[in-house]
Amino acid sequence: MKFKDYVKTSILPTYFVTVVCIALAMAVVGSIFEPDVRLGYGVLFSPFLYGLLAAVIQLVGYSKKELTPKQALGRKVIHVLLLEVGIMAFLHFAGALSGPGVTIALAVAILVIYFAVTLITGLNDRRASQAVNLALKELQKRGDVNL
């Protein structure tokens, strides 16, 4: 796959779903651990920044050639590990890890976000492939395409 196509079909859709999930996770974790804290408008940029970091880390999955299932799984494992380490390191240096409870909650939130994004984008990909298959069947019925 060309890099440009990978960005359009994989990274961009994942980025937007990730940003929404991060904003939701920030609201949930924040209301549990710091319910009385009032935040400024600057915090609204955080999901975009964390989403960008996650998108850059997602580049580990890019390959010009088709990967075997074993290679794809290996890249997904590396991707999850890099997400955890990269985002937790960023949170640490930003001073967002105020204690063990928050640290564990954020580490779990990263995993939940990863699996939620994977599920949502997978369902969307499935819907798109079903639409293409249906269109191909219609073309085949009309005799326009021989498969």
Side-chain angles (χ1 to χ4, degrees):
M1 173 183 292
K2 292 182 181 176
F3 182 75
K4 183 179 175 182
D5 294 334
Y6 181 72
V7 170
K8 277 198 250 182
T9 61
S10 185
I11 291 183
L12 283 178
T14 300
Y15 171 78
F16 291 113
V17 174
T18 301
V19 167
V20 170
C21 290
I22 289 170
L24 181 61
M26 286 175 64
V28 170
V29 172
S31 26
I32 292 171
F33 289 98
E34 303 283 346
D36 298 328
V37 172
R38 298 290 170 229
L39 304 170
Y41 289 111
V43 78
L44 294 174
F45 294 107
S46 297
F48 298 104
L49 183 62
Y50 293 123
L52 180 62
L53 178 60
V56 169
I57 292 171
Q58 187 179 350
L59 291 173
V60 75
Y62 172 71
S63 176
K64 288 184 180 180
K65 60 181 182 167
E66 188 75 24
L67 298 174
T68 66
K70 188 176 180 179
Q71 290 170 325
L73 179 62
R75 292 213 186 179
K76 285 195 176 290
V77 169
I78 291 168
H79 181 222
V80 171
L81 293 174
L82 287 174
L83 275 174
E84 281 288 343
V85 170
I87 293 176
M88 291 303 286
F90 191 85
L91 289 167
H92 172 73
F93 291 120
L97 304 177
S98 58
V102 172
T103 302
I104 292 169
L106 290 172
V108 169
I110 292 167
L111 284 175
V112 169
I113 290 169
Y114 174 79
F115 289 115
V117 168
T118 301
L119 176 68
I120 292 166
T121 56
L123 290 173
N124 188 49
D125 291 346
R126 181 177 177 212
R127 182 195 53 79
S129 68
Q130 286 174 337
V132 168
N133 287 337
L134 184 61
L136 284 173
K137 283 181 185 177
E138 290 297 321
L139 287 172
Q140 215 173 14
K141 280 182 187 176
R142 293 192 318 215
D144 295 342
V145 175
N146 292 324
L147 296 176

